[in-house]
Amino acid sequence: MKKIMNQAADLVRESSEGFAAAHADLIRLSRDPLFLYRAGDLSGRVALISGGGSGHEPLHAGYVGQGMLTAACPGEVFTSPVPDQMLAAIRQTSGGKGTLLIVKNYTGDVMNFELAAELAAAEGLSVETVVIGDDVAVQDSTWTAGRRGVGGTVLLEKLAGAAAEAGADLAKVRKVAEEVMAGVRSMGLALSGATVPAAGKPNFVLGEDEIELGIGIHGEPGRERQALRSADDLVDSLLEPILGDLDLSRGEEVIAMTNGMGGTPLLELYVAHRRLVSHLAERGVTVARHLVGNYVTSLEMQGMSVTLLRAGPEQLRLWDAPVVTPALRWGQ
Amino acid sequence: MKKIMNQAADLVRESSEGFAAAHADLIRLSRDPLFLYRAGDLSGRVALISGGGSGHEPLHAGYVGQGMLTAACPGEVFTSPVPDQMLAAIRQTSGGKGTLLIVKNYTGDVMNFELAAELAAAEGLSVETVVIGDDVAVQDSTWTAGRRGVGGTVLLEKLAGAAAEAGADLAKVRKVAEEVMAGVRSMGLALSGATVPAAGKPNFVLGEDEIELGIGIHGEPGRERQALRSADDLVDSLLEPILGDLDLSRGEEVIAMTNGMGGTPLLELYVAHRRLVSHLAERGVTVARHLVGNYVTSLEMQGMSVTLLRAGPEQLRLWDAPVVTPALRWGQ
């Protein structure tokens, strides 16, 4: 195992410290319990909090800031954060209009966020939860009952964050999130496994000409192992299950993300994105907004995922709204 | 070799097409000869053009846009673009105030940009050239006489681009670039090699506990192979030669970039950046601005580099100026 790290046990804490130092204009760090939150005055807006195992950066801390998340709770690598972190983040960032917890559908995350929400409610805080499951690859998986929450989470955090920034109340922000969940689908594939530092060896090993189709962001097995083939064919293999499920009509628009799993160069991701755009064009679907890069990763895994969100005027307006976070930034 | 691509011979063209499709709001594509340039009215500003072998994305096309480059000419992977590309880009983007060519010091790039500049001058166009060599690792290298041009290029493009955007004339933009070159130093290390698609096998192979210190961005050999060690020790090994050369005094400020070579997760880069900040603090040097991520890469190489730029009020003002490009974006 080759990693740029000190002790594995210190990795998440030290990385969070480096992150907070690099982004001191936007971010504040709570060391114990560990979470990162938005700098400045948080009053008068619904707070949006997410979190999950580390190893998926820039998700979630990279999306804390104006127009997106209010706080992020990082767990150990591929391990859920604990309720103490979430509860402390809820208390710290409450702006008097309630808090929405954004949870990717993994059993540990769902359980711990649920417990934190109950503890916060017992203190009189207004907390609601959405659980996203956008991965069409499998129905149940190693760490999940139901669909896994993957790339769609970034789009959900952006749109719900824009609504909260504009002053929407908790019910409205929740409604925006639920509309995203109804219209977003993802699927991914891996060319290699990844190595969890505490384990010291890859979570799976693929043959020289093998890919894993339908992989989860923790290296959970996907649909099946297949032969490596052209980028265009790989993208088609991801789009077909997504389009089979999302049922887009000719003339519709989408926000599309071509996402790298951490170890795939941008040079390759743009080749994939080229096919994504042309595949959708052949079906009469227009990509109205594009996001290409490493946005939801799995450590150094080589691979990619595709996420499509059906986008009407409201989704596009919320997407275009200003966002100022370490990893996503535009509009001002 | 596992890559998300179609034919190796089509990789750069197809990737450029995907890039132009994803960033149609900012970028225009010339297919033949191949280059990417800024959308919109280009008149009345000095044009800034860079380019080089592909495989270092987001360098250079990712930095085309408001407040940074006017055009980028991508060569094949790790291969200089040809003078035809540069000449066409100079003609296309000339705004009547002259053109500055920003060249990383590699023999092929220097030769081809020089020829393009001569051809443009013969047409009566006003073209000047700066050649950056910021890598303190080695004096001469496989493909270079003198120091190699690496991470400092991003900072040069940002600062010179801000000056051009503000209306500076060619002499002033060149002066800004020269001041950056005088004050910027970089050094990198690799934990793994990278595979050039046309070659099909890694450019070098390291042992399980081995790193290459002082690596170039094409996998050119560095200073020496050493044992893998803690992140803090690795960062110290990069900073010491830089600081030995740059000679920063206590109380000075820098713009610091902790850069990934393409295959190293953000989680690890922030651990390295944490040590960079504390190492400099111990020497009385303050990191006034931070950039952490994959900004100058070497395909899927695992590794990192560090770049420091001595920053006075003018450098900070140019750094903070608005920039709207696919890979760097802030201020509006």
Side-chain angles (χ1 to χ4, degrees), chain B residues 241-271:
Chain B
I242 290 173
L243 293 167
D245 202 85
L246 192 56
D247 196 26
L248 291 165
S249 308
R250 297 189 77 84
E252 285 200 281
E253 293 192 320
V254 294
I255 299 172
M257 176 168 77
T258 296
N259 174 61
M261 302 305 290
T264 291
L266 277 180
L267 188 67
E268 298 174 35
L269 293 179
Y270 280 111
V271 171

Side-chain angles (χ1 to χ4, degrees), chain A residues 174-185:
Chain A
R174 185 191 177 111
K175 184 163 175 285
V176 167
E178 284 171 345
E179 284 168 358
V180 171
M181 294 192 290
V184 74
R185 299 291 186 278

Side-chain angles (χ1 to χ4, degrees), chain B residues 90 106 144 205 221 229 289 296 331:
Chain B
I90 293 168
Y106 293 96
T144 323
V205 176
R229 46 199 188 274
R289 301 292 184 275
V296 185

Side-chain angles (χ1 to χ4, degrees), chain A residues 1-6 14-15 17 23 191 207-208 210 230-232 267-268 270 274 329 332, chain B residues 1-6 14-15 17 23 191 207-208 210 230-232 267-268 270 274 329 332:
Chain A
M1 173 180 61
K2 284 178 145 175
K3 303 270 184 193
I4 298 175
M5 66 176 190
N6 296 306
E14 291 184 348
S15 187
E17 289 173 1
H23 306 292
L191 275 62
E208 201 28 61
E210 210 175 29
S230 73
D232 288 358
L267 188 68
E268 298 174 36
Y270 280 111
R274 171 183 176 274
R329 191 160 181 154
Q332 77 176 51
Chain B
M1 175 179 59
K2 286 177 141 174
K3 305 268 185 195
I4 298 175
M5 64 177 192
N6 297 306
E14 291 184 348
S15 187
E17 289 173 1
H23 305 292
L191 276 62
E208 200 29 60
E210 211 175 26
S230 74
D232 288 358
L267 188 67
E268 298 174 35
Y270 280 111
R274 172 182 174 274
R329 191 161 181 154
Q332 76 175 52

